[in-house]
Amino acid sequence: LCRSFYKDKQGFVWISSDKGLNRYDGNSVYTFAHNPSDPRSIASNRCNYIFEDSKQRLWVNTDEGLSLYDRKSQTFTNFYPDPDILPLQGLSYTEMAEDHQGNFWIGGYYDVLIFNPSDHKFRKSGWHDFAAKAGIIKEEKRNSISQSITRKSKDELWILTVYGLFSVHTPSMVFHYYPNPEISDYFAFNIGFAEKEKVWISTYDKCFYSYHVDTDTWTHYPCPEVKAIEPGRVVNIARINKDSLLITKPEALYVFDVKSYQYRPYKTTEDPADKTKTTFR
C-alpha cells in the first residue's frame, strides 16, 4: 500500500508505504526498513507523509514517530511525543506543514501537535481544547484525528480533521471552524489542494467538495455514474488549469470541468476529437 509520493530538491522520488520508505533514483528503488535492533533505522515500516522543510531536511511521519533522514549517513534520527503530551503513542496518517516560526504541525491520536525541530520537543496545539469547548467534539469518533494540514497563507494553516475543516492563525494560535451541514464524519477526507479563494476536499463516499472562503459556503460535486467498487470515493484532486481538475478515483483518472460539471476520462495524450463526457447538474 503506497501512501504518499514526494520528489525532493535533489531529484530523488520518495514513496511511503506500509512496508517501509522507498527511494527511487531514476534507475532503481532502495527501501529503508525499520530494524528493532538499530536505533538509527526509520521509526516504523508503516510510513505516511514525506515532508521537506525550509532547510531542505527530509522528514517522514510514521505510525510510531517522526523520522529525520540524514543524507550523508543514510540513517534516521527518530522523535516521539512524551506520554504527557500524547498518552497513546503514534502519529498516524497525517500530512504536516511548517508554520511561520519553522515549527511543524502534525496530527496524532486524539489531537493536533506541534513539533519544534530546534529542541526536538512536541507540544499540544490547543486544537482539541478549542473543538471541545466549542461543542464540536461531543464524543471521540476516531483516534486518528488529523487528515490534512496545509498552508492557507504566510501565517495561517488549514487543518482538516475527522470533525471538519478548521484554520489556525499560528502567531496568535486562534482557531476557526467551517462547518458543512451535509457532513457529520470526515473520516478519510483530504484536502486535495488549497487556493486563495477555495479549498478542494476529496471524500471517502461523497465524491468531492469545495469550500468558498469569501462567501463561507460549500459546493458539492457528485461523481460520474460509472461502474465502480467505491462509486463515491475520490482519492485526490489536482489543478490542471483554470477550469479543469484532475480527479483520482480508485477505478480511473478523470478530468472535471468546474464550469460545466462535465467529466471525461483522463488520457496522457488528449484527443480533441474525443467528445465522450458525462454531465451532471
Side-chain angles (χ1 to χ4, degrees):
L1 175 63
C2 295
R3 294 181 172 175
S4 67
F5 296 82
Y6 181 75
K7 184 176 182 180
D8 69 17
K9 299 297 189 300
Q10 296 183 354
F12 292 106
V13 176
W14 298 85
I15 307 165
S16 67
S17 74
D18 58 356
K19 294 184 178 180
L21 178 68
N22 305 281
R23 184 189 65 196
Y24 177 61
D25 62 8
N27 294 303
S28 60
V29 176
Y30 181 84
T31 300
F32 294 92
H34 174 66
N35 182 348
S37 63
D38 182 4
R40 300 288 285 175
S41 68
I42 197 165
S44 170
N45 283 335
R46 295 179 64 85
C47 301
N48 303 308
Y49 191 65
I50 305 163
F51 173 69
E52 192 169 16
D53 67 16
S54 58
K55 296 181 180 180
Q56 297 187 15
R57 295 172 296 188
L58 194 74
W59 302 80
V60 184
N61 166 24
T62 79
D63 274 14
E64 299 299 327
L66 185 61
S67 296
L68 171 62
Y69 177 63
D70 186 314
R71 288 183 168 90
K72 291 183 178 179
S73 64
Q74 299 191 57
T75 59
F76 295 85
T77 303
N78 301 310
F79 306 98
Y80 309 91
D82 293 333
D84 59 335
I85 298 297
L86 198 67
L88 181 59
Q89 290 297 300
L91 297 176
S92 197
Y93 305 90
T94 185
E95 298 175 5
M96 298 186 292
E98 189 171 3
D99 69 15
H100 70 290
Q101 291 184 325
N103 297 316
F104 307 156
W105 288 64
I106 179 171
Y109 288 112
Y110 298 110
D111 208 345
V112 178
L113 305 181
I114 300 173
F115 176 75
N116 185 332
S118 297
D119 62 15
H120 304 152
K121 298 292 186 181
F122 289 88
R123 72 178 191 271
K124 294 183 179 181
S125 67
W127 170 84
H128 189 278
D129 290 342
F130 166 80
K133 289 178 181 178
I136 300 165
I137 298 178
K138 298 180 175 64
E139 61 179 353
E140 301 290 354
K141 290 181 182 178
R142 313 275 184 178
N143 54 15
S144 180
I145 291 297
S146 176
Q147 314 281 78
S148 299
I149 304 177
T150 191
R151 186 166 297 282
K152 180 183 179 184
S153 65
K154 181 180 179 181
D155 51 12
E156 292 179 290
L157 300 175
W158 289 111
I159 302 174
L160 181 65
T161 78
V162 294
Y163 298 95
L165 180 65
F166 298 77
S167 69
V168 58
H169 180 254
T170 55
S172 64
M173 302 295 287
V174 173
F175 292 87
H176 293 279
Y177 174 53
Y178 309 92
N180 184 330
E182 297 180 4
I183 305 173
S184 59
D185 189 347
Y186 293 73
F187 174 70
F189 287 29
N190 289 283
I191 296 175
F193 64 100
E195 301 171 310
K196 182 178 180 180
E197 68 280 3
K198 289 181 184 179
V199 183
W200 296 89
I201 296 174
S202 62
T203 82
Y204 183 74
D205 57 358
K206 302 178 185 297
C207 206
F208 67 101
Y209 285 85
S210 63
Y211 171 72
H212 304 250
V213 177
D214 292 341
T215 59
D216 189 25
T217 57
W218 293 80
T219 299
H220 179 229
Y221 303 89
C223 281
E225 294 181 359
V226 296
K227 188 175 182 179
I229 297 175
E230 298 173 294
R233 185 178 182 188
V234 169
V235 179
N236 202 4
I237 309 170
R239 172 71 73 184
I240 297 176
N241 54 45
K242 180 181 178 181
D243 298 324
S244 300
L245 304 176
L246 180 65
I247 307 299
T248 306
K249 287 181 54 57
E251 74 277 2
L253 294 175
Y254 297 91
V255 175
F256 179 76
D257 188 299
V258 297
K259 291 185 176 180
S260 66
Y261 277 46
Q262 293 179 330
Y263 286 90
R264 69 177 185 273
Y266 173 79
K267 296 182 179 180
T268 53
T269 302
E270 291 292 338
D271 181 4
D274 185 2
K275 303 298 182 180
T276 303
K277 297 179 180 180
T278 304
T279 305
F280 295 85
R281 288 294 180 186

